[in-house]
Amino acid sequence: MGKVRIGSVGLGRLGLQHAENIAGRIQNAELIAICDVDKPKVEETARRLGVKHQFTSFDDLVACKDVDAIVVVSPSALHTGQIAAAMKAGKHVFSEKPLGVTVAECKEAEKAVEAHPDLVFMLGFMRRFDESYKYAHDKVVAGEIGKPVLFRSYSQDPEKFIQGSIAFAPHSGGEFLDMSVHDIDLARWFTGSEPETVYAIGGCYAHPEFAAYKDGDNVSCLMKFKNDCMVFLFAGRTAPHGYNVETEIIGTKGILRIASIPQKNLVEVLDSHGVRRECSENFLERFATAYVNEVQEFVNCIVEKRKPTVTVYDGTKVSEIAYTCKAAFESGELLKF
């Protein structure tokens, strides 16, 4: 087939990044349409990126006959319905996480995907497409570190963005669902197993506003997986140094660490403060290449008529685990899955 003609819905920070990537960095793809409720933003983006069709209604985007596939980067509460509508209209779908804001919605998304086996559906767990994580995963699969004993992963947002986190708190679903879903996905991916028990703790150490939503500004959990691997996850909203995502896998024959220092690049700064490495500022900067790679894989799957390794069921499973972590945090009890 020729180029895959893509329509993208949502022009927030990540939505805009995806639109720019599709327009200029994805092979065998054309950004044919964009959609957002903000009409001036749609018009400005369309002019800048040379996009043919502009919509403020998702229904109009879905009805566009020039669109082969839709990239969903809209608010989380809209994902399930838009996935179902797009696939019913015969469009391939790439959706950012979450699959749905509840497990029940995730199940509905599963039904929509199952009803259209001829179409490609892919969920945006971008860390699997980061070069460093892929390299480490290959080593684990090859048995180079032996049997995984402990998987540890941290996701921390900068303190300077805390007001945005507080504003989003009523709708975030809690820190495990909002921040730890990628760590949970990585844990399943690296261990090849599923959780058996979880114990979660944390609190509002700097920002009591989160307590109103039974949430914290820093939370953690310890899980035992069915293959006996220990999994420790930490999510924080008060990192003083920048955006920090790091992972460690300890095996019986070796240890792998990914981004143990969240450095922006390989530059060292020597000045009156001493010697330092600057940190990434946000997720768009840290995973810029991964966001390109994941959509490229989506397009490749359409062109090559195959299915992605990241499935709709991964989205449901991660949501189920995140909600169980949240329940363990709220109850203070050890919970079984």
Side-chain angles (χ1 to χ4, degrees):
M1 64 180 298
K3 287 188 175 182
V4 177
R5 299 170 300 176
I6 298 176
S8 189
V9 56
L11 290 175
R13 285 189 301 168
L14 182 52
L16 193 59
Q17 183 70 56
H18 275 309
E20 291 172 349
N21 288 343
I22 297 164
R25 302 182 183 95
I26 307 298
Q27 297 180 8
N28 297 320
E30 178 185 2
L31 183 64
I32 195 75
I34 52 174
C35 177
D36 193 277
V37 294
D38 187 337
K39 186 175 182 180
K41 181 179 284 189
V42 170
E43 292 173 345
E44 186 279 325
T45 304
R47 282 195 301 271
R48 182 165 57 85
L49 300 181
V51 181
K52 181 178 180 180
H53 298 292
Q54 307 166 33
F55 302 106
T56 55
S57 163
F58 181 74
D59 291 341
D60 292 340
L61 171 64
V62 169
C64 182
K65 296 186 183 302
D66 286 345
V67 173
D68 301 314
I70 290 179
V71 170
V72 177
V73 208
S74 53
S76 299
L78 301 177
H79 288 189
T80 303
Q82 291 182 343
I83 291 167
M87 300 198 82
K88 185 177 180 180
K91 317 294 187 185
H92 304 285
V93 176
F94 174 94
S95 176
E96 271 301 331
K97 65 88 179 171
L99 187 61
V101 295
T102 66
V103 173
E105 285 191 2
C106 292
K107 295 290 187 181
E108 288 301 313
E110 286 184 5
K111 292 177 183 178
V113 173
E114 290 167 352
H116 302 282
D118 55 319
L119 297 175
V120 171
F121 174 82
M122 182 172 166
L123 194 62
F125 284 135
M126 82 292 184
R127 291 188 195 176
R128 296 195 191 194
F129 296 90
D130 175 79
E131 297 295 342
S132 297
Y133 277 106
K134 287 196 294 182
Y135 184 78
H137 185 260
D138 288 345
K139 286 186 173 294
V140 172
V141 171
E144 294 187 26
I145 66 167
K147 181 179 180 180
V149 172
L150 173 70
F151 176 92
R152 174 185 64 84
S153 198
Y154 294 176
S155 288
Q156 294 176 274
D157 281 343
E159 164 70 30
K160 67 180 180 181
F161 296 141
I162 194 64
Q163 291 306 317
S165 296
I166 292 171
F168 184 56
H171 316 289
S172 73
E175 205 162 3
F176 288 109
L177 191 71
D178 182 31
M179 296 186 64
S180 295
V181 289
H182 291 293
D183 303 286
I184 293 169
D185 179 63
L186 288 178
R188 297 178 64 242
W189 191 45
F190 273 96
T191 65
S193 185
E194 303 290 350
E196 190 172 86
T197 59
V198 59
Y199 177 67
I201 56 176
C204 298
Y205 299 93
H207 302 282
E209 295 94 330
F210 292 102
Y213 310 103
K214 297 182 180 180
D215 198 9
D217 52 31
N218 287 271
V219 300
S220 66
C221 70
L222 178 64
M223 290 185 274
K224 177 185 177 183
F225 270 43
K226 292 179 180 178
N227 64 352
D228 291 330
C229 186
M230 297 174 282
V231 172
F232 178 76
L233 307 180
F234 171 71
R237 291 171 166 140
T238 60
H241 54 289
Y243 180 71
N244 189 164
V245 170
E246 61 176 286
T247 302
E248 180 178 46
I249 307 100
I250 298 176
T252 54
K253 297 180 180 178
I255 297 172
L256 298 171
R257 290 176 180 164
I258 303 123
S260 56
I261 298 175
Q263 59 197 68
K264 181 190 294 282
N265 48 43
L266 298 179
V267 175
E268 291 184 340
V269 180
L270 291 75
D271 57 18
S272 59
H273 298 289
V275 181
R276 70 182 189 278
R277 298 172 184 172
E278 295 179 330
C279 297
S280 297
E281 289 294 305
N282 54 53
F283 62 93
L284 293 176
E285 181 180 25
R286 168 62 181 86
F287 291 107
T289 301
Y291 285 121
V292 173
N293 291 345
E294 65 176 358
V295 177
Q296 185 65 68
E297 171 64 6
F298 172 63
V299 170
N300 291 348
C301 285
I302 296 172
V303 173
E304 298 166 13
K305 300 186 186 305
R306 60 180 174 84
K307 294 299 178 74
T309 57
V310 185
T311 72
V312 67
Y313 305 106
D314 290 314
T316 301
K317 195 64 183 178
V318 166
S319 293
E320 288 175 339
I321 294 169
Y323 274 114
T324 305
C325 291
K326 174 179 170 63
F329 170 71
E330 292 180 2
S331 69
E333 299 176 354
L334 178 72
L335 297 184
K336 292 184 178 181
F337 285 89

